Amino acid sequence: MNRILQNMPPVVKNLLILNVILWLAMSFVPVIDSRLMQWCALHYFTSPAFNVAQLVTYMFLHGGFMHLFFNMFALVMFGGIIERSMGSKRFLFYYLSCGIFAALVQMGAYAVALSHYTSMFSPEQLHEIIDQGWRHLSQGYQYSDPTLAKINALVNGPMVGASGAIYGVILAFGMLFPNQPIYLFFIPVPIKAKWMVLGYGILELTYGLGSATDNIAHFAHLGGMIAGVFLILYWKKKGVFNNHWFF
């Protein structure tokens, strides 16, 4: 294990360690879990629990082992080669930028969803619904009325996970190494990285527009990929990659 860590580039290694440490702390110390979910998980900007730092801190928290495992597995598999290609400082900027933009896109999706409900209430009523809803959730309760419960879940429900940033990393791999064959668990033959990325993008857009109820932030995944596209193309234009892809 020590040899594996030694062979990782520094940003990927430290991101992995930080995410694992925080997950262990949240899993085994309940008071840490509740405090981090309140202070560091991402909440909608009208929630009493929201603060700007959450646009960054949310991507270092995870809701369960499998959530952590798949994100960190992808980080190790794809992040190392991207960090070596970009350089550590640029990779860290890229990773955080994708994660932040992913959060903003997901909040935009929440705003659209909330617009279907908030028109039913005056600003004063809506403020009371959100404020009381936060107190209810803090005590482990939820509104019995489905409309109020939906508003409360969208505004006061926490969002965690590095998935938006990770999708940005996967996008970078597909753009910088488009013809690299990738072996996926559920496909018996290798596919090129560019087709894998395109497939992931189509799936996330389909699930997101289909109003998926799986508690997965599909628009955050898309946001991470969109940020990645613009950053990679900008840097390519500036000659960061020596005006060629790393085929």
Side-chain angles (χ1 to χ4, degrees), residues 11-227:
V11 174
V12 167
K13 178 173 66 177
N14 285 293
L15 287 173
L16 174 65
I17 291 171
L18 178 59
N19 278 275
V20 170
I21 288 175
L22 287 174
W23 177 78
L24 288 172
M26 294 174 69
S27 297
F28 296 104
V29 186
V31 67
I32 292 179
D33 179 56
S34 62
R35 292 293 183 266
L36 287 179
M37 289 298 284
Q38 178 180 346
W39 297 335
C40 299
L42 181 63
H43 296 81
Y44 191 65
F45 70 89
T46 59
S47 170
F50 173 76
N51 67 74
V52 175
Q54 292 172 0
L55 294 171
V56 174
T57 57
Y58 88 100
M59 67 182 87
F60 298 100
L61 309 180
H62 289 82
F65 175 74
M66 296 309 295
H67 189 199
L68 173 77
F69 174 79
F70 283 115
N71 278 343
M72 295 302 99
F73 179 79
L75 175 64
V76 172
M77 290 296 295
F78 300 106
I81 191 169
I82 300 303
E83 181 177 346
R84 293 186 180 97
S85 301
M86 292 183 175
S88 295
K89 290 183 179 179
R90 192 179 301 275
F91 176 74
L92 179 60
F93 175 82
Y94 178 85
Y95 183 91
L96 294 176
S97 296
C98 288
I100 292 169
F101 192 72
L104 294 174
V105 170
Q106 188 62 42
M107 292 182 77
Y110 287 162
V112 173
L114 283 166
S115 68
H116 297 297
Y117 301 100
T118 55
S119 59
M120 305 175 187
F121 306 95
S122 69
E124 293 77 16
Q125 290 174 320
L126 190 60
H127 176 78
E128 187 67 18
I129 290 168
I130 292 171
D131 193 52
Q132 286 190 4
W134 167 247
R135 292 197 295 270
H136 291 332
L137 286 180
S138 300
Q139 298 169 3
Y141 299 104
Q142 178 60 290
Y143 287 114
S144 58
D145 180 272
T147 298
L148 301 185
K150 183 65 174 180
I151 293 173
N152 196 30
L154 287 170
V155 174
N156 289 317
M159 187 177 92
V160 298
S163 300
I166 295 298
Y167 268 74
V169 172
I170 294 173
L171 182 282
F173 187 87
M175 291 188 71
L176 296 178
F177 304 90
N179 295 317
Q180 179 69 33
I182 301 293
Y183 292 86
L184 301 176
F185 295 118
F186 49 86
I187 298 179
V189 295
I191 63 172
K192 292 182 178 180
K194 59 186 176 183
W195 302 126
M196 176 195 71
V197 170
L198 180 62
Y200 275 138
I202 292 173
L203 282 175
E204 293 304 320
L205 180 61
T206 300
Y207 286 131
L209 293 177
S211 300
T213 57
D214 52 11
N215 294 320
I216 296 175
H218 296 288
F219 284 105
H221 299 169
L222 287 171
M225 298 179 82
I226 292 169

